[in-house]
Amino acid sequence: MSDILKQLGYLAGASRFRRISEKLQQDGDKIYTNSGISFKASWFSVYYVLAKSATAQTILDIANQIDFSHITVKNILRELKNEELVVIQPNPNDKRSKLVSLSQKGRQLQTQLEPLWLSFSNVLKEVFSTGHPDILNILNRIDWEINHHPIHTKILQTDRSSVRIVDYKPSLKKYFYELAGPWLLDVLNGELEDDDKFTLNHPAKAYLEQGGFLFFAKYKDDIVGCVALKRLDEDTFEFAKLFINPNYRKLGIATRLIERCISRCMENDATALWLQTTMAMPRAHKLYYKLGFNDQAAPTQMDVLDRTEKIMCLEL
């Protein structure tokens, strides 16, 4: 039998997500049933918030933490209450709301659930990775996009062009110097380091031939950003020469380029992604921390540049 949802392509995106979600919840319910535990997969997010909360939560608190609708959280709590897994009490500070916490029975159930969650998580990682090794970042980007740029507003726009991240090809070579060159010359007061001179003029030799990658950000027909992914050894990479045209710096392009680097690292079974930076770039540091990078000492396989003042690493 033909699958009409596959035939509909992007138009059936929401339906495909729902179908996947329903299948995962059905399997989750079977896992709980087979383990002799009275629990439903659809309760997980709400229950987990309560299990990890040191204090009672309002319904709004719970909804905000998992970005569920108020009515969805209320319905789940009603089912949890029927199973005597939660306690719902009046809020002494706000008569319009209720305070929710796990009951003693709910806390006891947690010790049975956590080993199952660990096993389920490992299996889900295996399943999701068949789609892409970096599926969680992909889902995060989709989630962010529909929250910040809702489809109902996008469809009314006459110009719906978006930023695309593309791999290196010979015709893009000139843009690497045109984008990153002037910026580096300004940072270095007009004098490039030897490493910069080579990489800017010979990006394919500097990166691609050494097992690395080059990515460019394209907006409409213009190349507006670039980044290099340098291979340090069999298991680690470093990203460098990240630069965005100043006229396009509020489109989230830097994040998109770094996330492409992270995805490519994970596709290559890398264990770490490194970067070098200076203290004069606090806004960039904020982005790096947000994406999961942490301050670390330089690894032995990294060629530290003279201008470098800070080393960061994302463990994969």
Side-chain angles (χ1 to χ4, degrees):
M1 183 177 68
S2 63
D3 186 343
I4 193 169
L5 293 187
K6 288 183 179 180
Q7 297 173 24
L8 290 172
Y10 291 110
L11 190 60
S15 298
R16 297 285 297 275
F17 278 125
R18 179 166 183 168
R19 185 166 72 181
I20 291 170
S21 176
E22 288 181 347
K23 288 179 179 178
L24 290 175
Q25 289 199 352
Q26 289 169 5
D27 276 348
D29 288 343
K30 290 178 182 178
I31 291 171
Y32 295 126
T33 298
N34 293 340
S35 300
I37 297 175
S38 181
F39 195 81
K40 292 171 65 175
S42 59
W43 299 344
F44 170 76
S45 297
V46 172
Y47 178 92
Y48 187 84
V49 168
L50 295 172
K52 298 303 179 181
S53 299
T55 59
Q57 303 285 300
T58 67
I59 295 175
L60 183 60
D61 290 334
I62 299 170
N64 286 340
Q65 290 182 67
I66 56 179
D67 203 16
F68 280 16
S69 69
H70 190 274
I71 188 64
T72 297
V73 174
K74 283 189 68 174
N75 289 338
I76 293 173
L77 287 174
R78 185 181 298 112
E79 294 183 14
L80 288 170
K81 189 173 186 299
N82 289 339
E83 293 293 318
E84 299 180 343
L85 297 177
V86 298
V87 175
I88 303 176
Q89 299 174 317
N91 185 350
N93 300 318
D94 186 352
K95 294 181 180 179
R96 298 168 299 177
S97 66
K98 303 285 187 181
L99 289 177
V100 187
S101 58
L102 289 185
S103 65
Q104 184 177 356
K105 179 181 178 181
R107 287 290 179 191
Q108 292 172 344
L109 183 63
Q110 185 179 345
T111 59
Q112 296 178 266
L113 290 172
E114 288 183 340
L116 278 181
W117 291 344
L118 180 60
S119 299
F120 202 18
S121 177
N122 291 334
V123 173
L124 286 176
K125 180 180 179 181
E126 179 183 340
V127 171
F128 286 164
S129 293
T130 61
H132 195 282
D134 197 27
I135 187 66
L136 292 184
N137 268 331
I138 293 172
L139 291 174
N140 286 339
R141 292 198 293 271
I142 295 172
D143 204 5
W144 186 95
E145 183 68 19
I146 60 178
N147 276 321
H148 290 78
H149 305 289
I151 293 174
H152 73 272
T153 60
K154 275 192 168 189
I155 205 166
L156 299 176
Q157 298 170 358
T158 55
D159 178 10
R160 297 194 297 274
S161 298
S162 59
V163 174
R164 293 188 298 119
I165 306 302
V166 299
D167 284 68
Y168 174 86
K169 54 185 177 180
S171 62
L172 298 177
K173 175 184 176 182
K174 65 175 183 177
Y175 295 107
F176 193 67
Y177 191 100
E178 288 179 5
L179 286 164
W183 164 66
L184 272 177
L185 284 167
D186 182 57
V187 170
L188 300 174
N189 297 316
E191 186 61 36
L192 295 174
E193 295 185 33
D194 290 339
D195 179 82
D196 297 319
K197 292 177 182 178
F198 180 73
T199 56
L200 287 172
N201 288 288
H202 308 284
K205 288 184 178 180
Y207 300 109
L208 303 186
E209 292 184 11
Q210 307 305 317
F213 304 91
L214 288 161
F215 306 113
F216 294 85
K218 189 173 184 179
Y219 180 76
K220 297 183 180 179
D221 295 324
D222 297 323
I223 300 298
V224 299
C226 64
V227 69
L229 185 57
K230 178 182 180 180
R231 182 179 287 277
L232 297 181
D233 59 23
E234 286 292 311
D235 303 309
T236 62
F237 288 87
E238 172 191 349
F239 83 76
K241 303 297 188 294
L242 173 66
F243 184 78
I244 314 300
N245 184 316
N247 296 323
Y248 300 88
R249 284 186 176 168
K250 293 186 178 181
L251 299 175
I253 297 174
T255 300
R256 294 279 300 278
L257 284 168
I258 297 171
E259 287 179 334
R260 175 60 66 86
C261 289
I262 295 171
S263 293
R264 190 57 55 87
C265 286
M266 297 187 75
E267 289 170 354
N268 283 268
D269 295 324
T271 58
L273 175 59
W274 294 84
L275 67 90
Q276 305 182 46
T277 184
T278 68
M279 300 307 295
M281 304 176 69
R283 291 181 63 186
H285 299 167
K286 185 177 180 180
L287 172 60
Y288 302 151
Y289 287 130
K290 181 181 177 182
L291 292 172
F293 287 83
N294 293 298
D295 298 346
Q296 291 196 30
T300 56
Q301 66 269 33
M302 176 185 283
D303 295 324
V304 180
L305 300 169
D306 291 340
R307 64 177 178 273
T308 296
E309 298 173 312
K310 188 180 183 72
I311 306 289
M312 303 181 75
C313 178
L314 173 67
E315 296 181 353
L316 303 170

